[in-house]
Amino acid sequence: MSPRHLLEVDPVRFEKALATGGADTALALFPAELCQPVGAAVRDPLLRVTARIAESDGGVEHRLWVAEECAVLLLDAGEGRRELVTVAPALWTAALAGVLDLGPRRGHPAAAPLAVPTAAIEDLLGEEPTAFARAVKQFDPSGWRLIALLADGAAETEGGATLLLYDTGEAWLLAGSVRDDDTIFEPSSASQIWRILQRIQPSPKEQA
Amino acid sequence: MGTAMIGSNTRYHDPWGRFSLAVPEGWEVVGEPRVALPLVAVESQRPEAFRANLVFTASSLPEEMTLRDWQMGTDALLPTTLSDYLLLDLEHVEIDGVAGIRRLYCHVASGFAVTGEQWAVVHAGRGLALTATVATVDWDDVADAMAECASRLRLLDPESTS
C-alpha cells in the first residue's frame, strides 16, 4: 500500500471545503506535491467508494477514489486526522480489504444469522453525520462492526452498489433478506466477500 | 523446457505416484517435473495479462512435524517472500479425506495484483501444497474452477503405485 502519507488535516474543514468548493478546494488543504495525481483521481474517478463503519466505541468513514492513474484512499485515522494513501488502481480492493480488516474469523463454521434493525442501517447509509452517529449508538456489542460499502460508478451494477457486512469478531455476515423491521445478515466468509469486492470494479477496459 | 497442452478430462499423474490432479482444459504443463516441484501449469497465453497458474509442491518434513507446525511456518514465511502480502482467509478443510488447510491471500507479483489460494496437507511424510495464483481482477471468474481443481485432487500412496 505504499506510498503512504500521514496528513494533519481537520476533517471538519475538509468536509466543508469538499461540500462548498468541491474536490479542488478540499485538496488544497493537502501538500501541493501530492495534489496532482490525487486531485485528478478525486475530480474524475472511474469509481467512488465510501466505507462507513459503525462499532461499539464510535464510527468512521473512509473514502476511496479509483482512477486510471491511481487509487486514492482518504482514511479516518481518528482524533481529527485524515490519512491519505495512494496505490496502483489494480490494488484498490487489496487496500480496502486492509482498511476493513478483512481476514480469517475463527467462528465461521458455527455462525448463525443475525437480525439488525433496518432503521439503524438506514441511519448508517444516510447523508447526515447526526444520523450516522445515531446508528453507531444503537450498536453496543463490543467488538462487533457494521460496515456499509457504497460504490458509485461500478461497472456491473449500472452505476451503484451497496454492500452491507457485519463483523462479529468471530464471523463475517452478509446482508440478505428483509423480515419485518429487520435486515437479516447471513453467515459468510472473507473468501466470499473478497469475491464480491471484485465485482465492484470499474470496467476492465477503463482500468489501468 | 517441456510444455504439454492439457486436453479435455485430462488428469495429471505425479511421476512419483503421490497424487493426481485434473488441470483445467487448455492449460499448459511447463517444465520438467521435479520431486519437490512436480507440477507447474499455466493458463493459455494472454498478451499483457498475468497468466493464472497452478503450482504443486512436495516438501520433505521432519517425522515429528505436524500440519499445524508446518503451516505456522508457512504463515510466517509468506509475508516475507510475497510483496504486499495480505492474508484474507484461513480455514480447516478436508483434502481427499485428509485434514488440511486452505488459505486465501493477495499480493503483488511481477507488478500485477494477484490472488492466491492454497490447499495444504501432510500425506505420506510429505507436505503437499497446491497453489493457484490468479490476477485479482479475474478472481471472481476463475475461483470456482480453482476450487473444483482442488476438490478433484487425489492423494495416492507412493508405495502402492510404484
Side-chain angles (χ1 to χ4, degrees):
Chain A
M1 288 207 3
S2 55
R4 192 178 184 96
H5 306 281
L6 183 62
L7 302 169
E8 300 290 341
V9 176
D10 181 345
V12 176
R13 284 181 62 206
F14 178 83
E15 297 299 336
K16 187 177 178 182
L18 191 65
T20 59
D24 287 340
T25 304
L27 288 168
L29 299 172
F30 293 105
E33 65 271 21
L34 297 177
C35 286
Q36 189 173 351
V38 171
V42 173
R43 274 191 300 273
D44 188 24
L46 300 171
L47 178 67
R48 264 188 301 266
V49 178
T50 301
R52 291 179 178 169
I53 304 173
E55 51 195 342
S56 55
D57 59 350
V60 293
E61 179 178 284
H62 308 299
R63 295 184 179 201
L64 189 152
W65 297 265
V66 183
E68 289 188 1
E69 295 295 320
C70 69
V72 179
L73 292 92
L74 186 67
L75 306 177
D76 184 341
E79 300 177 350
R81 292 180 303 157
R82 288 291 189 271
E83 196 172 276
L84 190 72
V85 178
T86 60
V87 296
L91 292 175
W92 81 265
T93 50
L96 183 61
V99 169
L100 299 180
D101 193 24
L102 186 65
R105 296 292 184 269
R106 289 178 177 272
H108 163 57
L114 182 74
V116 176
T118 302
I121 295 171
E122 288 171 351
D123 282 347
L124 179 62
L125 298 177
E127 292 294 327
E128 294 182 20
T130 52
F132 182 57
R134 280 202 305 275
V136 172
K137 286 177 182 174
Q138 293 188 50
F139 290 87
D140 195 25
S142 57
W144 292 34
R145 300 184 302 154
L146 175 62
I147 301 169
L149 293 180
L150 300 94
D152 180 21
E156 296 182 11
T157 53
E158 297 184 353
T162 300
L163 182 64
L164 294 169
L165 309 171
Y166 213 103
D167 176 15
T168 71
E170 291 291 318
W172 287 102
L173 301 118
L174 188 61
S177 60
V178 174
R179 189 173 61 206
D180 299 326
D181 294 331
D182 293 332
T183 295
I184 310 301
F185 284 73
E186 302 289 346
S188 183
S189 67
S191 294
Q192 184 184 12
I193 294 166
W194 180 246
R195 286 189 68 169
I196 293 172
L197 280 183
Q198 307 317 317
R199 297 170 196 161
I200 311 174
Q201 291 279 2
S203 71
K205 188 173 67 176
E206 292 175 319
Q207 189 172 1
Chain B
M1 185 171 70
T3 298
M5 188 78 79
I6 296 295
S8 177
N9 298 317
T10 301
R11 287 191 75 84
Y12 176 84
H13 293 269
D14 173 43
W16 293 271
R18 298 165 296 185
F19 70 93
S20 73
L21 181 69
V23 176
E25 185 179 347
W27 284 37
E28 299 167 15
V29 173
V30 296
E32 297 299 326
R34 288 179 279 164
V35 173
L37 184 64
L39 173 65
V40 177
V42 297
E43 70 172 336
S44 305
Q45 188 77 256
R46 289 195 298 157
E48 299 179 15
F50 183 86
R51 297 178 74 184
N53 59 76
L54 284 165
V55 174
F56 200 104
T57 56
S59 309
S60 293
L61 302 180
E63 193 171 328
E64 67 277 10
M65 183 172 276
T66 64
L67 173 70
R68 177 185 169 85
D69 294 337
W70 178 42
Q71 288 305 302
M72 284 178 66
T74 303
D75 279 331
L77 183 66
L78 289 176
T80 66
T81 55
L82 300 177
S83 176
D84 287 314
Y85 173 85
L86 178 66
L87 178 66
L88 295 166
D89 214 348
L90 183 65
E91 62 178 347
H92 295 280
V93 294
E94 277 201 357
I95 299 170
D96 196 19
V98 179
I101 68 98
R102 168 192 164 273
R103 66 164 55 80
L104 184 75
Y105 52 91
C106 62
H107 63 104
V108 174
S110 305
F112 290 94
V114 299
T115 295
E117 189 168 19
Q118 187 176 72
W119 297 264
V121 66
V122 174
H123 180 66
R126 285 187 176 268
L128 306 179
L130 173 65
T131 304
T133 306
V134 178
T136 294
V137 73
D138 297 329
W139 179 245
D140 187 44
D141 294 330
V142 299
D144 287 339
M146 296 300 100
E148 169 77 7
C149 204
S151 74
R152 298 177 66 188
L153 171 64
R154 292 294 168 262
L155 303 175
L156 306 174
D157 181 351
E159 292 180 1
S160 67
T161 56
S162 59

